[in-house]
């Protein structure tokens, strides 16, 4: 059975992005402020499928919502 807790590393893997800590940090640094003024799922850094996944996770308050909201906190400040 799949764990109901998903980390930021898990989320990056799910989004098809490099998930090593240094790669995550580089992504965050290069895309910081990408979603200021818009929800994280509407940031221009996502492919259509990535945006849809984030939208569904947040809207459904799914198991992935906490990780998606953590990512939003990192990118939207």
């Amino acid at each position: 059975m799949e764990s109901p807790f998903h980390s930021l590393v898990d989320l990056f893997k799910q989004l098809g992005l490099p998930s090593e800590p240094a790669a995550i940090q580089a992504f965050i640094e290069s895309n910081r402020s990408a979603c200021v003024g818009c929800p994280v799922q509407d940031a221009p850094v996502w492919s259509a499928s990535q945006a849809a996944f984030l939208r569904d996770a947040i809207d459904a308050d799914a198991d992935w919502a906490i990780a998606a909201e953590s990512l939003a906190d990192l990118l939207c400040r």
Side-chain angles (χ1 to χ4, degrees):
M1 187 165 133
E2 189 175 334
S3 169
F5 173 78
H6 300 287
S7 68
L8 200 54
V9 169
D10 296 332
L11 180 61
F12 270 69
K13 288 178 183 176
Q14 183 68 25
L15 293 171
L17 297 171
S19 58
E20 299 78 23
I24 292 172
Q25 187 62 36
F27 180 88
I28 291 166
E29 287 176 11
S30 66
N31 293 293
R32 186 156 308 200
S33 301
C35 58
V36 170
C38 70
V40 68
Q41 63 269 23
D42 294 337
V45 300
W46 310 119
S47 68
S49 62
Q50 290 169 326
F53 176 81
L54 290 168
R55 185 172 296 106
D56 290 346
I58 293 168
D59 289 348
D61 198 23
D63 292 346
W64 290 99
I66 293 172
E69 290 166 359
S70 294
L71 180 59
D73 288 343
L74 294 168
L75 290 179
C76 299
R77 50 178 152 153

